[in-house]
DNA sequence: GAATCTACTTGACATTTGTTAGTTAATGGT
DNA sequence: ACCATTAACTAACAAATGTCAAGTAGATTC
């Protein structure tokens, strides 16, 4: 269960024995079924999650009750409404398991403790936060610059497995288009 | 010159005499003319800027040589290619003065020193970083959800002075549309 | 297993946005 | 003041995306 997490961290920074013991102590393994909402809008995010297996999404409703998916993630990555998790302020987003998920979770309080007890985790936490920032910059720029078809092509090129695990309607919403438009684009690509 | 900066910080966290002395020591005032590029793509960002007066933008070129404006900012805010400034990695964006600018600038090394010497500045720096993150999240979601006209209406509602200071083509690019489209939208709004 | 849902697709049409080309207005340099 | 350059606007048309209504297939429930 912890192997994927330890590997992810080791890619960024070396871990000694003590670091590994601390990580196993603070990160709690949890299993959730498909469609389970694990953090709800209006609440302060309780945990930062590391995805061992499965797909998660962030979503919310607008005034008209329409649902918008703003983030989709897959193994092995961290997942949270970051800014609200870090600040411990109420988030306007729900976190939902798209598939059954194996996760490792940690509270903000424990993450801070872990960072003071492990220099490696301090370094690593910063890089996770920064990557999340780069990710949003990139998403904004792609939405501004690329066409709907280009955005879809780029997504499946980077995450080829997403189609087998995530409903098309969530992907459409995440890419900033209607399901009908994505359907049209998918057909066009299939037929050459 | 320092008043706007000190006021901005005080909105978030209290400053004692010593904090204020340190801030004035580390932040260097600079003046730039219109159209001056103050950080170039390919280089590691040297400074974090606080805008006392004037407008700045972040922009880059794509493969075809087309120019894209990804960020526009006005007083009184901080400005930088944040992630690359923090990491001290080469940025792919240029920073340009759209108008003549009065700025206060600080290097990454000095910012770190300042943060160890002033607890208030440590708190404040974190909040600047987090706001930049929230900002990108918001930009991405608005690009995904709102129409071009809605994005434009929202921008001028939030920053009514931007039209008098920033060329329309930069605004169009920043909003993810072509100048001709923005021109059409502006006419439509004028004629009711 | 029948009925019911729901996700996904399809097609016709409306609307929005991009493209191209030309015009006007404003700007900057000499 | 003149010329050259660029920004902004306009118009006609093309292409992309949204909307609405309907149909199909697969899943779920009873």
């Amino acid at each position: 269960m912890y192997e994927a997490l330890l590997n992810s961290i080791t890619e960024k920074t070396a871990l000694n024995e003590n670091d590994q013991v601390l990580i196993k102590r603070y990160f709690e393994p949890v299993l959730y079924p498909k469609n389970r909402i694990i953090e709800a809008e209006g609440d302060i995010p309780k945990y930062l999650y590391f995805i061992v297996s499965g797909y998660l999404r962030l979503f919310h409703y607008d005034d008209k009750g329409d649902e918008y998916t703003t983030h989709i993630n897959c193994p092995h990555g961290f997942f949270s409404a970051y800014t609200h998790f870090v600040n411990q302020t109420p988030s306007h987003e729900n976190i939902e398991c798209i598939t059954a998920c194996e996760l490792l979770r940690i509270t903000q309080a424990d993450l801070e403790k872990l960072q003071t007890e492990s220099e490696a985790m301090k370094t690593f936490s910063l890089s996770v936060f920064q990557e999340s920032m780069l990710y949003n910059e990139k998403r904004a720029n792609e939405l501004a610059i690329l066409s709907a078809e280009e955005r879809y092509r780029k997504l499946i090129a980077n995450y080829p497995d997403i189609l087998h695990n995530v409903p098309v309607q969530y992907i459409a919403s995440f890419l900033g288009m209607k399901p009908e438009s994505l359907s049209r684009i998918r057909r066009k690509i299939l037929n050459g």
Side-chain angles (χ1 to χ4, degrees), chain A:
Chain A
M1 193 76 172
Y2 287 94
E3 201 182 324
L5 173 57
L6 296 175
N7 287 342
S8 275
I9 301 174
T10 311
E11 279 175 24
K12 292 278 173 192
T13 182
L15 291 178
N16 61 32
E17 274 300 320
N18 186 48
D19 291 329
Q20 299 192 21
V21 169
L22 288 171
I23 288 165
K24 287 178 182 169
R25 181 179 305 152
Y26 281 117
F27 276 93
E28 175 192 3
V30 283
L31 300 177
Y32 288 113
K34 190 174 171 175
N35 297 329
R36 173 67 55 85
I37 290 182
I38 61 179
E39 302 270 357
E41 62 181 300
D43 294 349
I44 294 171
K46 288 199 187 62
Y47 300 98
L48 174 70
Y49 299 89
F50 177 78
I51 308 175
V52 178
S53 75
Y55 282 75
L56 294 175
R57 70 170 179 139
L58 227 52
F59 77 95
H60 69 271
Y61 301 95
D62 72 357
D63 318 326
K64 297 172 204 146
D66 291 332
E67 183 189 295
Y68 289 98
T69 294
T70 57
H71 193 68
I72 296 173
N73 212 4
C74 56
H76 303 118
F78 280 92
F79 201 91
S80 175
Y82 283 101
T83 36
H84 299 287
F85 172 76
V86 173
N87 278 328
Q88 290 290 290
T89 52
S91 165
H92 51 281
E93 305 267 358
N94 304 281
I95 301 183
E96 185 188 53
C97 298
I98 299 175
T99 63
C101 286
E102 301 175 284
L103 308 172
L104 293 167
R105 70 182 188 188
I106 187 170
T107 64
Q108 160 70 350
D110 280 352
L111 181 61
E112 286 195 357
K113 270 196 233 165
L114 180 52
Q115 286 178 34
T116 61
E117 294 170 25
S118 160
E119 191 59 34
M121 276 305 293
K122 195 171 184 172
T123 306
F124 181 69
S125 295
L126 189 61
S127 86
V128 167
F129 196 62
Q130 284 171 358
E131 267 175 34
S132 161
M133 184 142 166
L134 271 177
Y135 174 90
N136 279 312
E137 263 178 48
K138 204 178 155 212
R139 178 164 183 249
N141 289 340
E142 288 184 358
L143 283 163
I145 290 170
L146 303 180
S147 69
E149 180 176 337
E150 290 169 325
R151 300 198 297 274
Y152 175 70
R153 284 183 183 276
K154 205 153 187 170
L155 182 74
I156 56 173
N158 289 332
Y159 307 99
D161 290 339
I162 201 170
L163 277 176
H164 312 126
N165 293 285
V166 179
V168 175
Q169 56 178 332
Y170 297 165
I171 296 176
S173 177
F174 174 65
L175 292 176
M177 67 185 98
K178 300 293 165 185
E180 294 93 335
S181 296
L182 182 51
S183 213
R184 182 166 36 207
I185 287 167
R186 281 155 57 75
R187 176 166 36 121
K188 185 187 155 199
I189 290 176
L190 267 180
N191 301 344

